[in-house]
Amino acid sequence: MPSIDRLRGDMLGRAVVRATTIVTKRRVLAYAASIGAVDDVYYDDLQPGGLIATPGFICAIESPLLFDPVYLHAIGMVPERLLSVWIHAFQDSVFHQPMRAGQTLESVLSIVHMAQLPSGALVTCHIATNDAVTGQPVAESWYGSLYRGLSVAAPGGQAAPRLRAHAGVDAGAIEHTPIAVTPGTGHLYTECSGIWSPIHTERAAAVAAGLDQIILHGTWTWSAACLAITRSHADGDPSRIKRFGGRFSGMVGSDPGLVLEHARTDDGSIAFAVQQRSGQLAISHGVALVAPA
Protein backbone atom coordinates (compact mmCIF):
# COMPACT_ATOMS: atom_id res chain seq x y z
CA MET A 1 0.00 0.00 0.00
CA PRO A 2 1.41 3.44 -0.90
CA SER A 3 2.65 5.43 2.07
CA ILE A 4 2.22 9.06 3.06
CA ASP A 5 3.18 10.73 6.33
CA ARG A 6 2.31 14.40 5.80
CA LEU A 7 -0.58 16.17 4.08
CA ARG A 8 0.16 19.04 1.71
CA GLY A 9 -0.70 22.57 2.80
CA ASP A 10 -0.21 24.58 -0.39
CA MET A 11 -3.92 24.40 -1.29
CA LEU A 12 -5.07 25.82 2.06
CA GLY A 13 -7.54 28.64 1.48
CA ARG A 14 -8.34 27.62 -2.08
CA ALA A 15 -11.41 26.22 -3.83
CA VAL A 16 -10.40 22.84 -5.20
CA VAL A 17 -13.58 20.97 -6.27
CA ARG A 18 -16.70 22.14 -8.12
CA ALA A 19 -19.66 19.86 -8.77
CA THR A 20 -23.19 20.02 -10.15
CA THR A 21 -26.05 17.95 -8.70
CA ILE A 22 -29.45 17.45 -10.29
CA VAL A 23 -31.93 16.90 -7.47
CA THR A 24 -34.31 14.33 -8.94
CA LYS A 25 -37.48 12.97 -7.35
CA ARG A 26 -35.86 9.54 -7.35
CA ARG A 27 -32.90 10.71 -5.28
CA VAL A 28 -35.02 12.72 -2.85
CA LEU A 29 -37.42 9.82 -2.26
CA ALA A 30 -34.65 7.23 -1.92
CA TYR A 31 -32.70 9.28 0.60
CA ALA A 32 -35.83 9.95 2.63
CA ALA A 33 -36.69 6.24 2.68
CA SER A 34 -33.20 5.28 3.88
CA ILE A 35 -33.56 7.34 7.08
CA GLY A 36 -37.24 6.60 7.69
CA ALA A 37 -38.52 9.99 6.53
CA VAL A 38 -41.89 8.84 5.21
CA ASP A 39 -43.73 12.04 6.16
CA ASP A 40 -45.82 13.55 3.34
CA VAL A 41 -43.48 16.55 3.00
CA TYR A 42 -40.73 14.15 1.87
CA TYR A 43 -42.89 11.56 0.11
CA ASP A 44 -45.93 13.15 -1.58
CA ASP A 45 -44.76 14.43 -4.96
CA LEU A 46 -48.23 15.87 -5.69
CA GLN A 47 -48.07 18.38 -2.85
CA PRO A 48 -48.02 22.09 -3.79
CA GLY A 49 -44.45 23.15 -4.45
CA GLY A 50 -43.29 19.57 -4.96
CA LEU A 51 -41.03 17.40 -2.85
CA ILE A 52 -38.76 18.92 -0.21
CA ALA A 53 -35.60 16.97 0.58
CA THR A 54 -34.71 16.12 4.14
CA PRO A 55 -31.99 18.44 5.48
CA GLY A 56 -29.75 15.38 5.68
CA PHE A 57 -29.84 15.11 1.88
CA ILE A 58 -27.05 17.68 1.89
CA CYS A 59 -24.77 14.79 2.87
CA ALA A 60 -25.48 13.04 -0.44
CA ILE A 61 -24.38 16.19 -2.26
CA GLU A 62 -21.28 16.94 -0.19
CA SER A 63 -19.79 13.58 0.78
CA PRO A 64 -18.68 12.56 -2.73
CA LEU A 65 -16.59 15.73 -2.93
CA LEU A 66 -14.41 14.47 -0.06
CA PHE A 67 -13.59 11.36 -2.10
CA ASP A 68 -13.05 13.25 -5.35
CA PRO A 69 -9.57 12.55 -6.81
CA VAL A 70 -9.02 16.30 -7.26
CA TYR A 71 -9.53 16.93 -3.53
CA LEU A 72 -7.39 13.96 -2.52
CA HIS A 73 -4.59 15.19 -4.78
CA ALA A 74 -4.93 18.69 -3.31
CA ILE A 75 -4.12 17.43 0.19
CA GLY A 76 -1.62 14.82 -0.99
CA MET A 77 -3.70 11.81 0.08
CA VAL A 78 -3.05 8.46 -1.61
CA PRO A 79 -6.48 7.00 -2.48
CA GLU A 80 -5.38 3.44 -1.71
CA ARG A 81 -4.64 4.41 1.88
CA LEU A 82 -7.72 6.52 2.51
CA LEU A 83 -9.94 3.92 4.19
CA SER A 84 -7.29 2.99 6.72
CA VAL A 85 -6.71 6.55 7.99
CA TRP A 86 -9.83 8.68 7.31
CA ILE A 87 -12.48 9.52 9.90
CA HIS A 88 -15.41 11.92 9.46
CA ALA A 89 -14.73 14.12 12.50
CA PHE A 90 -17.57 16.65 12.44
CA GLN A 91 -20.18 18.26 10.24
CA ASP A 92 -21.87 21.61 10.81
CA SER A 93 -24.41 22.68 8.19
CA VAL A 94 -26.33 25.93 7.71
CA PHE A 95 -29.47 25.89 5.57
CA HIS A 96 -30.51 29.03 3.67
CA GLN A 97 -33.45 27.45 1.83
CA PRO A 98 -34.92 23.97 1.47
CA MET A 99 -33.60 21.64 -1.20
CA ARG A 100 -36.35 20.65 -3.64
CA ALA A 101 -36.79 18.02 -6.31
CA GLY A 102 -36.17 19.62 -9.69
CA GLN A 103 -33.38 21.92 -8.57
CA THR A 104 -29.92 21.92 -10.05
CA LEU A 105 -27.33 22.70 -7.41
CA GLU A 106 -23.72 23.80 -7.72
CA SER A 107 -21.27 23.08 -4.91
CA VAL A 108 -17.77 24.42 -4.32
CA LEU A 109 -15.39 22.81 -1.83
CA SER A 110 -12.61 24.92 -0.33
CA ILE A 111 -9.92 23.80 2.10
CA VAL A 112 -10.17 26.34 4.91
CA HIS A 113 -8.27 24.97 7.93
CA MET A 114 -5.59 22.42 8.77
CA ALA A 115 -4.56 21.47 12.29
CA GLN A 116 -2.24 19.00 13.94
CA LEU A 117 -3.89 16.88 16.62
CA PRO A 118 -2.27 14.15 18.73
CA SER A 119 -4.30 11.59 16.80
CA GLY A 120 -3.52 12.93 13.34
CA ALA A 121 -4.17 15.66 10.78
CA LEU A 122 -7.49 17.50 10.89
CA VAL A 123 -8.60 19.10 7.62
CA THR A 124 -11.69 21.33 7.54
CA CYS A 125 -13.43 22.03 4.26
CA HIS A 126 -16.15 24.58 3.60
CA ILE A 127 -18.68 23.46 1.03
CA ALA A 128 -21.01 26.12 -0.39
CA THR A 129 -24.03 24.95 -2.37
CA ASN A 130 -26.09 27.36 -4.49
CA ASP A 131 -29.09 27.08 -6.79
CA ALA A 132 -27.53 26.87 -10.26
CA VAL A 133 -30.35 28.84 -11.88
CA THR A 134 -30.91 31.69 -9.42
CA GLY A 135 -27.46 31.76 -7.83
CA GLN A 136 -29.10 31.94 -4.41
CA PRO A 137 -27.38 30.13 -1.52
CA VAL A 138 -28.98 26.86 -0.48
CA ALA A 139 -26.65 25.44 2.17
CA GLU A 140 -23.10 25.58 3.44
CA SER A 141 -21.22 23.10 5.57
CA TRP A 142 -18.02 22.88 7.52
CA TYR A 143 -16.82 19.33 7.10
CA GLY A 144 -14.02 18.02 9.30
CA SER A 145 -11.87 15.05 8.26
CA LEU A 146 -9.32 13.43 10.56
CA TYR A 147 -6.49 11.53 8.91
CA ARG A 148 -5.18 9.27 11.67
CA GLY A 149 -1.46 9.14 12.27
CA LEU A 150 -0.62 11.79 9.67
CA SER A 151 0.81 15.27 10.07
CA VAL A 152 0.11 18.55 8.27
CA ALA A 153 2.71 20.57 6.43
CA ALA A 154 1.10 23.97 7.07
CA PRO A 155 -1.28 24.27 10.04
CA GLY A 156 -3.52 27.32 9.95
CA GLY A 157 -6.47 28.88 8.19
CA GLN A 158 -9.92 29.74 9.52
CA ALA A 159 -11.45 27.21 11.89
CA ALA A 160 -15.10 26.14 11.66
CA PRO A 161 -17.76 27.84 13.79
CA ARG A 162 -17.76 26.55 17.32
CA LEU A 163 -20.04 23.69 18.24
CA ARG A 164 -21.43 23.32 21.75
CA ALA A 165 -18.81 23.19 24.50
CA HIS A 166 -20.40 20.19 26.26
CA ALA A 167 -20.34 16.72 24.74
CA GLY A 168 -23.71 15.58 26.06
CA VAL A 169 -26.97 17.28 27.03
CA ASP A 170 -27.40 18.77 30.49
CA ALA A 171 -30.10 17.26 32.67
CA GLY A 172 -33.33 19.17 33.05
CA ALA A 173 -35.83 19.43 30.22
CA ILE A 174 -34.02 16.69 28.34
CA GLU A 175 -36.02 14.48 25.96
CA HIS A 176 -35.09 11.02 24.72
CA THR A 177 -36.07 9.82 21.24
CA PRO A 178 -35.11 6.31 20.02
CA ILE A 179 -33.53 6.06 16.57
CA ALA A 180 -34.33 2.75 14.87
CA VAL A 181 -31.48 0.84 13.22
CA THR A 182 -31.56 -2.60 11.58
CA PRO A 183 -28.68 -4.83 10.40
CA GLY A 184 -29.38 -3.74 6.82
CA THR A 185 -29.53 0.00 7.49
CA GLY A 186 -26.03 0.63 6.21
CA HIS A 187 -26.67 -1.27 2.99
CA LEU A 188 -29.93 0.58 2.31
CA TYR A 189 -28.34 3.93 3.06
CA THR A 190 -25.35 3.19 0.83
CA GLU A 191 -27.53 2.52 -2.20
CA CYS A 192 -30.11 5.24 -1.52
CA SER A 193 -27.62 8.00 -0.72
CA GLY A 194 -24.90 7.15 -3.22
CA ILE A 195 -22.35 7.40 -0.39
CA TRP A 196 -20.29 4.24 -0.75
CA SER A 197 -17.44 2.89 1.29
CA PRO A 198 -17.12 -0.89 1.75
CA ILE A 199 -16.43 -0.53 5.49
CA HIS A 200 -20.17 0.17 5.83
CA THR A 201 -21.34 -2.93 3.97
CA GLU A 202 -18.56 -5.55 3.79
CA ARG A 203 -16.96 -7.02 6.92
CA ALA A 204 -13.84 -8.08 5.01
CA ALA A 205 -13.23 -4.47 4.01
CA ALA A 206 -13.95 -3.25 7.54
CA VAL A 207 -11.49 -5.73 9.07
CA ALA A 208 -8.85 -4.81 6.48
CA ALA A 209 -9.29 -1.19 7.60
CA GLY A 210 -8.62 -2.15 11.22
CA LEU A 211 -12.23 -2.50 12.43
CA ASP A 212 -13.94 -5.48 14.06
CA GLN A 213 -17.13 -5.21 12.02
CA ILE A 214 -18.93 -3.00 9.54
CA ILE A 215 -19.90 0.40 10.91
CA LEU A 216 -22.85 2.64 10.16
CA HIS A 217 -22.26 5.81 8.15
CA GLY A 218 -21.87 8.83 10.39
CA THR A 219 -23.97 10.78 7.90
CA TRP A 220 -26.86 8.33 8.40
CA THR A 221 -26.82 8.92 12.16
CA TRP A 222 -26.48 12.67 11.59
CA SER A 223 -29.40 12.69 9.12
CA ALA A 224 -31.63 10.51 11.30
CA ALA A 225 -30.95 12.75 14.29
CA CYS A 226 -31.81 15.82 12.21
CA LEU A 227 -35.08 14.18 11.16
CA ALA A 228 -35.97 13.54 14.80
CA ILE A 229 -35.14 17.14 15.75
CA THR A 230 -37.31 18.35 12.84
CA ARG A 231 -40.24 16.30 14.09
CA SER A 232 -39.82 17.28 17.75
CA HIS A 233 -38.90 20.96 17.50
CA ALA A 234 -40.02 22.18 14.05
CA ASP A 235 -43.46 20.55 13.79
CA GLY A 236 -42.05 18.34 11.04
CA ASP A 237 -41.25 21.30 8.78
CA PRO A 238 -37.72 20.89 7.31
CA SER A 239 -37.71 24.47 6.01
CA ARG A 240 -37.41 25.66 9.64
CA ILE A 241 -34.08 23.87 10.21
CA LYS A 242 -31.41 26.57 9.88
CA ARG A 243 -28.36 24.89 11.43
CA PHE A 244 -27.49 21.35 12.38
CA GLY A 245 -24.04 20.33 13.52
CA GLY A 246 -22.25 17.80 15.67
CA ARG A 247 -19.06 15.88 16.27
CA PHE A 248 -18.75 12.20 15.33
CA SER A 249 -17.44 10.81 18.59
CA GLY A 250 -17.95 7.05 18.29
CA MET A 251 -18.33 4.41 15.62
CA VAL A 252 -21.76 2.77 15.46
CA GLY A 253 -21.69 -0.99 14.98
CA SER A 254 -24.38 -3.62 14.48
CA ASP A 255 -26.11 -3.29 17.88
CA PRO A 256 -26.19 0.44 18.52
CA GLY A 257 -29.47 0.96 20.41
CA LEU A 258 -29.31 4.62 19.44
CA VAL A 259 -31.11 7.29 21.45
CA LEU A 260 -31.25 10.99 20.61
CA GLU A 261 -30.96 13.20 23.69
CA HIS A 262 -32.15 16.76 23.08
CA ALA A 263 -33.28 19.87 24.92
CA ARG A 264 -33.96 23.52 24.18
CA THR A 265 -31.36 25.81 25.76
CA ASP A 266 -31.61 29.29 27.27
CA ASP A 267 -30.41 30.92 24.04
CA GLY A 268 -33.15 29.25 22.01
CA SER A 269 -30.93 26.70 20.29
CA ILE A 270 -31.32 22.96 20.72
CA ALA A 271 -28.58 20.91 22.32
CA PHE A 272 -28.38 17.29 21.26
CA ALA A 273 -26.30 14.15 21.36
CA VAL A 274 -26.77 10.59 20.10
CA GLN A 275 -25.96 7.86 22.59
CA GLN A 276 -25.35 4.17 21.97
CA ARG A 277 -26.51 1.25 24.13
CA SER A 278 -22.97 1.00 25.51
CA GLY A 279 -23.18 4.56 26.82
CA GLN A 280 -20.68 5.82 24.26
CA LEU A 281 -21.71 8.88 22.30
CA ALA A 282 -22.07 8.47 18.55
CA ILE A 283 -22.61 12.20 18.02
CA SER A 284 -21.61 14.79 20.60
CA HIS A 285 -21.49 18.60 21.00
CA GLY A 286 -24.63 18.85 18.89
CA VAL A 287 -26.36 22.14 18.16
CA ALA A 288 -29.46 22.87 16.10
CA LEU A 289 -31.18 26.14 15.24
CA VAL A 290 -34.89 26.14 14.34
CA ALA A 291 -36.71 29.16 12.89
CA PRO A 292 -40.00 30.22 14.50
CA ALA A 293 -43.16 28.90 12.88
Side-chain angles (χ1 to χ4, degrees), residues 9 14 45 57 69 93 108 111 117 119 131 135 166 183 240 259 281:
R14 300 187 187 183
D45 62 331
F57 183 73
S93 296
V108 178
I111 301 171
L117 304 182
S119 53
D131 185 297
H166 300 293
R240 292 175 57 193
V259 174
L281 292 175

Side-chain angles (χ1 to χ4, degrees), residues 9 13-14 80 85 94 97 103 198 202 216 268 281:
R14 300 187 187 183
E80 294 82 359
V85 299
V94 173
Q97 62 172 284
Q103 276 184 309
E202 303 165 26
L216 191 58
L281 292 175

